[in-house]
């Protein structure tokens, strides 16, 4: 067994980069707690988004997320001189200029900052214990001077939903001294926050507010961008000369006092060390599980980051008592479509089969009239939204991938079979949003129900009502899955029924969707209207296990997509030759949504593209190396170092240099390239794949 601790991935950023303000302010870090909560900021510890902060807590895990602690500002005092380590941005000014004292930054695996003020050296490390609403800041301070010094720590406290900003006139705090710290409670928005330092003294400082902190990223997006933070007091830590001082600051939060006090026992040094060791060991186990199951895979730093990042999206859902998947950080919730697309890469490729089962059960529990939820809104509790034509179809694919890795038909029969039958029959007969099987056995659906669902002023940017190409591919795949399961579970009548539907759907699709003049597939068919926009949705028809597209046409589709939509870090959502193409994703909501699916590059599409490409090349060694070097290597080698450190962004500009945009850490951006790398490039195939797929007697 390989010793993994010394191979824990590491990103190091030295003095040259840290002193380059314009570059450093764009580099962000994030740590999560498995409940939907997180801590995140830039490497300069200057918050540039309303979504940045040291402690975000999910009041209804994994949603209803609130900021309780914005940051901790540090200051070194030597004699009568004060030297800030912190900086905050206000309109037109960065104040104070403590970021200039930052000499280095690492992720190994947690964000760690190195400061130096004359002879005082400060190491600051941030981690979150798993499944606890708390954040711990580890400090190690070496005072190399011959005189004593003081470290003052100023917490900036808040209480707001993470989509909002705070005006000090709308919020009040009460504070109560406790051993080694303070308990704060907010009114009228209720929350409780405990702050404790294992060294030094807490000194109340009256009602001090740091007003109108400016978030540059939110301003650039046309969103509210000025926030007020409450500074209740400070911790004073004396630094003896020529001594090293190690201590911890712990922040514990919740909606009610009992939730915060629940974890207060962990504020002692011995417990903090235990929590830290447990989290390091948990991460090492994730890596060990992956490499033990896939012994021929070479250990790589970038690959380790992908595995650890995959873990950050797998969260507990309170309403089901089971796992779910956060679609992306900072702002996405658990979306059905995203979760089910990401499930194979996040859980099956990484050997987390029980987590995969729980995620399937979570979405099964909320199945309504044959539809899997599209998403769980962050502010609306547990009432999901169902406006998706594809989330339910991706559910079938996720079940198929689960079977390919586990062969566990017993779980599917006991827990999922009734739901799968309900979904398919509802789609055949008709369900919400005009979703129903047509006479040609293809699937009809309403507008704004596919993954290209952006709208401006209530009007869909990419209206795709009728029969969208990827919906038909997923529908055929779902029918074939039902054929397999019906055969396995001994229902010959159903087996034959789904096989006939699938055969007719495939015949209809290949007759109606082929755009002979363009040598690719129409994007949408609606009665007599055929949309010939060159979009990446057609790649789904060439990558699924049960391909609705005739083999002779798959290579032409792959070539058309590669030639017309390649964007270095993924596929463009619309050809640059189209008059509607928008190559830069910037501006307010309207401008961004207009570009979202009209040129923006999507990283998750790398997975289907690489799979389709290598399937068409029969997985020959030369083409597998070619695919890695040309399709996957740029995002694996570069992207983990240039936006969200150690993770992959949601989207990229369609125009060079393809700047990262959207969420700094996206579930399917990690999951699909990782899956394609393991399964298709390394040819580390699911162990039950052949047996499962061969149950179907018809050609795929």
């Amino acid at each position: 067994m390989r010793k993994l601790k010394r191979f824990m991935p590491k990103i190091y950023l030295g003095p040259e980069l840290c002193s380059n303000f314009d570059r450093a302010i764009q580099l962000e870090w994030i740590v999560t707690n498995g409940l939907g909560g997180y801590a995140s900021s830039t490497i300069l510890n200057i918050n540039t988004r309303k979504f940045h902060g040291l402690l975000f807590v999910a009041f209804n895990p994994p949603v209803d997320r609130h900021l309780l602690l914005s940051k901790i500002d540090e200051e070194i005092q030597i004699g009568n001189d004060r030297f800030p380590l912190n900086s905050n941005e206000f309109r037109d000014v960065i104040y104070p200029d403590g970021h200039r004292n930052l000499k280095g930054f690492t992720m190994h695996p947690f964000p760690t900052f190195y400061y130096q003020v004359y002879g005082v050296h400060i190491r600051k490390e941030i981690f979150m214990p798993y499944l606890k609403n708390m954040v711990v800041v580890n400090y190690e301070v070496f005072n190399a001077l011959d005189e004593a010094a003081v470290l003052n720590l100023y917490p900036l406290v808040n209480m707001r939903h993470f989509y909002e900003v705070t005006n000090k006139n709308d919020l009040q705090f009460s504070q109560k001294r406790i051993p080694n710290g303070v308990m704060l409670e907010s009114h009228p928005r209720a929350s409780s926050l405990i702050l404790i330092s294992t060294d030094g003294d807490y000194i109340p400082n009256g009602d001090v507010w740091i007003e109108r902190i400016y978030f540059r990223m939110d301003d650039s997006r046309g969103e509210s961008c000025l926030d007020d933070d409450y500074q209740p007091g400070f911790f004073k830590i004396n630094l003896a000369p020529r001594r090293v001082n190690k201590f911890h600051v712990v922040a514990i939060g919740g909606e009610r006092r009992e939730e915060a006090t629940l974890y207060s026992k962990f504020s002692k040094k011995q417990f903090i060390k235990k929590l830290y060791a447990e989290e390091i060991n948990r991460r090492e186990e994730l890596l060990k599980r992956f490499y033990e199951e896939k012994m021929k895979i070479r250990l790589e730093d970038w690959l380790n980051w992908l595995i650890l990042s995959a873990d950050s999206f797998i969260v507990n859902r309170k309403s089901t008592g089971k796992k779910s998947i956060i679609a992306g950080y900072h702002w996405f919730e658990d979306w059905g479509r995203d979760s089910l697309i990401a499930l194979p890469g996040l859980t099956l490729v990484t050997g987390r089969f029980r987590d995969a089962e729980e995620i399937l059960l979570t979405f099964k529990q909320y199945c309504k009239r044959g539809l899997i939820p599209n998403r769980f809104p962050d502010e609306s509790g547990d009432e999901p939204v169902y406006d998706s034509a594809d989330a339910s179809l991706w559910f079938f694919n996720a079940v198929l991938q689960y079977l390919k890795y586990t062969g566990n038909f017993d779980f599917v029969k006991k827990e999922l079979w009734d739901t799968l039958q309900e979904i398919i029959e509802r789609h055949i007969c008709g369900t919400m949003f005009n979703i129903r099987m047509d006479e040609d056995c293809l699937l009809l659906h309403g507008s704004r129900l596919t993954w290209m669902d952006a709208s401006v002023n209530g009007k869909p940017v990419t209206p795709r009502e009728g029969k969208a190409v990827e919906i038909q591919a997923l529908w055929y795949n779902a029918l074939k899955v039902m054929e397999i399961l019906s055969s396995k579970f001994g229902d010959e009548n159903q087996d034959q029924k789904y096989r006939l539907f699938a055969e007719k759907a495939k015949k209809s699709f290949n007759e109606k969707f082929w755009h002979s003049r363009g040598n690719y597939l129409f994007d949408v068919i609606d009665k007599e209207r055929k949309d010939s926009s060159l979009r990446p949705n057609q790649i789904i028809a060439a990558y699924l296990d049960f391909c609705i597209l005739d083999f002779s046409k798959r290579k032409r589709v792959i070539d058309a997509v590669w030639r017309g939509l390649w964007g270095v870090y993924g596929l463009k959502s619309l050809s640059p030759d189209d008059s509607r193409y928008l190559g830069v994703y910037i501006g307010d909501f309207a401008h961004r949504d207009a570009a979202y699916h009209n040129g923006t590059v999507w990283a998750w599409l790398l997975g289907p593209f690489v799979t389709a490409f290598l399937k068409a090349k029969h997985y020959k060694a030369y083409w597998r190396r070619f695919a890695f070097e040309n399709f996957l290597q740029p995002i694996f080698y570069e992207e983990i170092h240039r936006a969200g450190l150690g993770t992959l962004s949601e989207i990229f500009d369609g125009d060079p240099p393809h700047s990262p945009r959207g969420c700094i850490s996206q579930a399917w951006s990690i999951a699909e390239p990782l899956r394609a790398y393991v399964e298709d490039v390394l040819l580390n195939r699911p162990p039950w794949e052949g047996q499962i797929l061969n149950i179907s007697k018809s050609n795929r």
Side-chain angles (χ1 to χ4, degrees):
M1 185 184 300
R2 284 176 270 190
K3 294 182 179 179
L4 293 172
K5 186 164 187 178
R6 63 193 180 101
F7 290 111
M8 288 288 278
K10 182 175 183 178
I11 294 173
Y12 170 74
L13 306 175
E16 182 179 359
L17 191 147
C18 291
S19 62
N20 183 343
F21 182 88
D22 291 339
R23 179 73 182 102
I25 197 68
Q26 299 179 50
L27 300 177
E28 302 176 55
W29 55 267
I30 185 167
V31 291
T32 62
N33 68 354
L35 295 171
Y38 67 87
S40 181
S41 187
T42 65
I43 69 165
L44 298 179
N45 272 325
I46 297 174
N47 294 340
T48 61
R49 310 175 185 266
K50 63 174 71 75
F51 303 103
H52 280 162
L54 202 51
L55 180 60
F56 284 92
V57 171
F59 286 172
N60 182 27
V63 295
D64 199 15
R65 288 161 285 187
H66 286 71
L67 173 67
L68 301 187
L69 179 63
S70 293
K71 59 188 307 201
I72 296 175
D73 285 342
E74 295 94 354
E75 172 191 76
I76 293 290
Q77 184 175 346
I78 303 172
N80 294 323
D81 296 322
R82 294 174 181 264
F83 304 93
L85 307 182
N86 69 289
S87 297
N88 293 300
E89 186 164 15
F90 304 90
R91 289 271 192 193
D92 304 319
V93 65
I94 305 290
Y95 180 82
D97 62 354
H99 66 88
R100 297 180 184 277
N101 293 313
L102 180 68
K103 304 305 178 184
F105 173 90
T106 63
M107 290 272 290
H108 185 53
F110 308 123
T112 306
F113 310 82
Y114 300 89
Y115 297 93
Q116 182 180 346
V117 175
Y118 291 101
V120 181
H121 303 260
I122 302 98
R123 180 183 185 273
K124 171 184 176 179
E125 181 184 35
I126 297 168
F127 85 98
M128 298 189 84
Y130 189 58
L131 300 182
K132 295 177 175 58
N133 286 322
M134 61 188 295
V135 65
V136 179
V137 184
N138 297 326
Y139 287 94
E140 180 179 304
V141 185
F142 172 45
N143 179 10
L145 301 173
D146 292 325
E147 61 179 311
V150 173
L151 174 63
N152 295 319
L153 308 176
Y154 299 89
L156 301 189
V157 178
N158 213 313
M159 168 49 206
R160 58 173 172 82
H161 191 273
F162 73 166
Y163 282 131
E164 301 171 351
V165 291
T166 292
N167 183 308
K168 72 169 189 175
N169 296 319
D170 299 329
L171 191 61
Q172 293 181 322
F173 286 93
S174 60
Q175 55 176 303
K176 175 185 176 183
R177 291 288 301 273
I178 59 175
N180 300 320
V182 61
M183 172 182 283
L184 297 133
E185 294 183 291
S186 64
H187 313 277
R189 287 173 287 180
S191 72
S192 184
L193 176 68
I194 291 175
L195 295 169
I196 295 173
S197 175
T198 59
D199 198 356
D201 299 308
Y202 175 75
I203 301 172
N205 201 27
D207 288 333
V208 176
W209 283 85
I210 310 300
E211 300 179 42
R212 301 179 70 79
I213 293 174
Y214 170 69
F215 301 136
R216 60 169 59 196
M217 289 300 297
D218 294 325
D219 190 20
S220 72
R221 294 162 62 92
E223 302 175 23
S224 52
C225 60
L226 297 175
D227 198 31
D228 297 344
D229 280 331
Y230 178 63
Q231 190 185 88
F234 65 98
F235 292 97
K236 179 179 179 181
I237 292 91
N238 293 316
L239 307 173
R242 300 286 179 179
R243 298 290 294 274
V244 174
N245 193 344
K246 296 181 181 181
F247 64 97
H248 317 277
V249 173
V250 182
I252 307 159
E255 189 172 12
R256 292 176 294 276
R257 179 185 299 185
E258 306 81 58
E259 296 173 13
T261 56
L262 179 65
Y263 299 118
S264 60
K265 66 180 181 180
F266 295 113
S267 60
K268 298 181 189 272
K269 275 189 176 182
Q270 63 267 35
F271 287 119
I272 294 171
K273 290 179 179 179
K274 182 173 182 290
L275 290 172
Y276 184 88
E278 287 174 351
E279 182 57 11
I280 289 291
N281 290 337
R282 191 184 72 83
R283 291 173 179 241
E284 289 176 1
E285 284 298 313
L286 295 175
L287 296 174
K288 184 174 75 171
R289 179 189 301 164
F290 177 81
Y291 287 108
E292 284 183 344
E293 292 197 2
K294 299 170 175 60
M295 294 298 294
K296 294 182 181 179
I297 295 181
R298 189 171 67 183
L299 193 148
E300 304 268 9
D301 240 28
W302 60 263
L303 182 54
N304 291 345
W305 279 122
L306 296 184
I307 297 162
L308 295 181
S309 182
D311 171 69
S312 70
F313 304 105
I314 301 171
V315 295
N316 283 9
R317 170 158 275 279
K318 181 180 178 182
S319 65
T320 63
K322 295 179 173 61
K323 299 291 186 183
S324 187
I325 292 176
I326 286 285
Y329 294 102
H330 304 92
W331 50 81
F332 282 124
E333 307 93 2
D334 40 347
W335 287 60
R337 172 191 301 117
D338 300 52
S339 296
L340 296 167
I341 291 173
L343 182 146
L346 300 188
T347 64
L348 302 178
V349 168
T350 58
R352 302 176 67 161
F353 303 137
R354 180 55 192 163
D355 289 341
E357 292 173 358
E358 291 194 13
I359 293 162
L360 292 170
L361 292 174
T362 282
F363 285 97
K364 166 207 166 178
Q365 182 168 323
Y366 283 94
C367 184
K368 178 180 178 181
R369 294 175 62 183
L371 293 182
I372 295 294
N374 186 26
R375 70 186 182 99
F376 294 90
D378 205 281
E379 297 184 88
S380 303
D382 299 321
E383 187 57 37
V385 177
Y386 289 88
D387 54 347
S388 168
D390 56 343
S392 306
L393 304 179
W394 283 112
F395 188 78
F396 286 86
N397 191 62
V399 171
L400 176 61
Q401 304 313 310
Y402 168 80
L403 286 171
K404 284 164 58 179
Y405 272 91
T406 67
N408 191 351
F409 281 99
D410 290 341
F411 171 77
V412 174
K413 178 70 181 295
K414 178 182 177 182
E415 301 289 352
L416 304 178
W417 181 229
D418 289 346
T419 301
L420 292 169
Q421 291 182 96
E422 179 191 3
I423 293 173
I424 209 80
E425 292 303 324
R426 287 277 192 173
H427 279 62
I428 290 170
C429 299
T431 183
M432 296 183 285
F433 306 108
N434 298 318
I435 298 172
R436 64 176 177 83
M437 189 176 75
D438 203 0
E439 293 177 356
D440 57 5
C441 287
L442 297 177
L443 202 64
L444 278 165
H445 55 84
S447 185
R448 202 170 170 262
L449 297 178
T450 72
W451 79 282
M452 290 188 165
D453 56 1
S455 66
V456 175
N457 298 322
K459 184 179 179 180
V461 176
T462 52
R464 305 180 74 223
E465 183 175 7
K467 299 171 183 175
V469 62
E470 79 278 13
I471 301 299
Q472 311 316 312
L474 288 162
W475 173 239
Y476 174 78
N477 193 63
L479 289 170
K480 298 298 289 182
V481 171
M482 289 301 290
E483 178 189 337
I484 281 178
L485 295 178
S486 297
S487 174
K488 180 69 177 179
F489 299 151
D491 193 331
E492 294 182 5
N493 292 332
Q494 292 292 83
D495 173 0
Q496 184 177 9
K497 169 184 168 182
Y498 296 131
R499 182 169 64 253
L500 292 175
F501 281 158
E503 288 173 356
K504 186 173 181 180
K506 185 170 185 175
K507 183 175 184 293
S508 299
F509 180 87
N510 284 277
E511 290 174 351
K512 297 180 178 183
F513 270 85
W514 187 247
H515 179 34
S516 56
R517 196 166 53 173
N519 230 12
Y520 57 83
L521 294 171
F522 289 112
D523 190 57
V524 183
I525 291 176
D526 185 16
K527 299 182 176 67
E528 300 304 315
R529 182 181 69 88
K530 294 188 175 183
D531 182 357
S532 61
S533 304
L534 178 56
R535 296 186 182 275
N537 305 305
Q538 60 190 294
I539 203 66
I540 305 301
Y543 114 93
L544 292 167
D545 284 304
F546 297 108
C547 288
I548 193 172
L549 183 62
D550 288 342
F551 185 80
S552 62
K553 296 174 181 175
R554 291 179 203 169
K555 289 184 179 179
R556 283 178 277 176
V557 163
I558 295 164
D559 287 343
V561 169
W562 185 11
R563 182 178 64 253
L565 300 174
W566 180 246
V568 179
Y569 302 109
L571 299 183
K572 298 175 184 178
S573 43
L574 182 64
S575 168
D577 295 333
D578 195 295
S579 61
R580 297 163 296 174
Y581 174 83
L582 295 170
V584 181
Y585 180 84
I586 58 173
D588 61 17
F589 280 111
H591 287 87
R592 297 198 316 273
D593 281 344
Y596 207 36
H597 300 115
N598 281 326
T600 297
V601 169
W602 289 81
W604 79 270
L605 290 168
L606 278 172
F609 177 75
V610 169
T611 297
F613 179 87
L614 289 177
K615 186 184 293 187
K617 301 293 186 182
H618 305 290
Y619 301 102
K620 291 182 179 178
Y622 171 82
W623 292 113
R624 287 190 285 118
R625 178 169 59 83
F626 179 93
F628 176 72
E629 292 176 352
N630 290 273
F631 303 147
L632 294 174
Q633 190 168 268
I635 197 168
F636 289 161
Y637 284 21
E638 295 177 10
E639 177 56 20
I640 60 171
H641 296 283
R642 72 178 192 137
L645 296 174
T647 186
L648 300 179
S649 298
E650 175 193 8
I651 52 177
F652 302 82
D653 285 340
D655 290 346
H658 305 296
S659 299
R661 306 288 186 185
C663 282
I664 66 167
S665 183
Q666 193 78 0
W668 59 10
S669 295
I670 293 285
E672 271 301 285
L674 174 61
R675 179 199 59 76
Y677 172 69
V678 172
E679 292 183 354
D680 302 314
V681 173
L682 299 182
L683 217 55
N684 201 305
R685 306 300 298 180
W688 293 81
E689 180 177 47
Q691 182 175 335
I692 299 299
L693 299 184
N694 285 333
I695 293 175
S696 173
K697 299 295 191 291
S698 58
N699 293 328
R700 355 185 235 281

